Amino acid sequence: MKRIVVLISGRGSTMEAIVQRCAAEAWPAHVVAVVSNRGDAKGLKFAVAHGLPTAVVAHEQYGSREAFDTALATTIDHFEPDVVVLAGFMRILGVPFVSRYEHRLMNIHPSLLPAFAGLHTHRRALEAGCKLAGATVHFVTPELDHGPIVMQAAVPVLASDDEATLAARVLEVEHQIYPQAVRWFVEDRLRIEKGIVRHVDGAEQGRA
Ligand code: GAR
């Protein structure tokens, strides 16, 4: 059984989707811990209610990013993960941290990368007049919101959209693609070749 550690900073709805799909579909994996950089992250309540171990590494208690990253890694490693899943984890992680979990650190970002790395993705998509928006699951590399793409989903941008309505439409597909991507990982169906993610059995996105 593979061991999944999920990192959150807030609501935790993508973490919930992963926990629920992992159980419902009997993946060869367990979510062994939910770790947050904020003690008040709402998602921690869901984790506790579902009997999952939780931990908080409060970033403001550390004097530098390096010190925070080191404490975070120590906490994560206690749970001996095969994969570390960033699910709305809103801290930038330094190179030593990212290197430590190379090829087993995944993130979801609410845009069709490489467009709109960084914050305020929905506002920026609206301001750019995009007709499609979406989300991307990728392996984390030191460059912010870059790295080999595992899965993407696109949704239409409607003329009537504001940031909130677009974010809600994108979040719906995030809840589909992130569990699927993590499932592929724990089933050993992903390989990274020259920065491109391949499925070992040729499965394509949307066809499990
Ligand atoms: C999601 O939309 C996720 O893509 C985004 O935060 C939200 C978390 O929601 N992540 C980022 O912006 C990371 N750069 P959740 O807390 O309900 O899972």
Side-chain angles (χ1 to χ4, degrees):
M1 290 292 252
K2 292 257 175 21
R3 300 171 63 83
I4 304 169
V5 168
V6 186
L7 269 55
I8 65 170
S9 292
R11 181 179 52 187
S13 70
T14 48
M15 173 271 296
E16 272 189 42
I18 290 165
V19 168
Q20 281 167 344
R21 288 264 304 269
C22 180
E25 297 173 357
W27 297 357
H30 292 305
V31 174
V32 293
V34 176
V35 179
S36 179
N37 63 307
R38 300 181 57 112
D40 61 355
K42 257 182 73 183
L44 290 173
K45 289 203 176 80
F46 170 91
V48 169
H50 284 72
L52 299 172
T54 59
V56 174
V57 184
H59 60 271
E60 71 274 8
Q61 288 178 7
Y62 297 87
S64 66
R65 177 184 301 163
E66 291 72 25
F68 169 68
D69 284 3
T70 301
L72 185 62
T74 302
T75 300
I76 291 170
D77 289 349
H78 172 75
F79 297 104
E80 301 181 342
D82 295 289
V83 59
V84 178
V85 171
L86 306 180
F89 186 72
M90 302 306 279
R91 302 299 298 176
I92 292 175
L93 296 162
V95 174
F97 183 97
V98 171
S99 304
R100 185 185 191 93
Y101 302 105
E102 191 182 17
H103 295 172
R104 55 192 184 106
L105 181 60
M106 298 174 96
N107 182 44
I108 190 160
H109 183 74
S111 77
L112 292 171
L113 293 174
F116 307 128
L119 297 174
H120 310 301
T121 54
H122 305 303
R123 185 192 312 166
R124 289 157 66 204
L126 288 167
E127 284 170 0
C130 292
K131 306 306 177 209
L132 287 174
T136 303
V137 179
H138 65 100
F139 286 104
V140 177
T141 56
E143 195 181 348
L144 179 68
D145 296 329
H146 278 72
I149 292 172
V150 180
M151 202 163 201
Q152 292 184 300
V155 299
V157 179
L158 305 181
S160 57
D161 270 333
D162 57 23
E163 259 182 277
T165 58
L166 181 56
R169 193 173 310 114
V170 171
L171 191 64
E172 258 182 59
V173 295
E174 294 189 65
H175 293 161
Q176 296 163 18
I177 63 171
Y178 211 5
Q180 181 65 64
V182 176
R183 180 177 177 172
W184 274 342
F185 182 93
V186 299
E187 291 178 344
D188 276 333
R189 294 169 75 180
L190 301 176
R191 295 285 176 272
I192 304 172
E193 294 167 9
K194 296 181 186 158
I196 305 289
V197 178
R198 311 272 183 208
H199 306 89
V200 287
D201 54 5
E204 297 290 353
Q205 157 164 353
R207 285 190 238 152

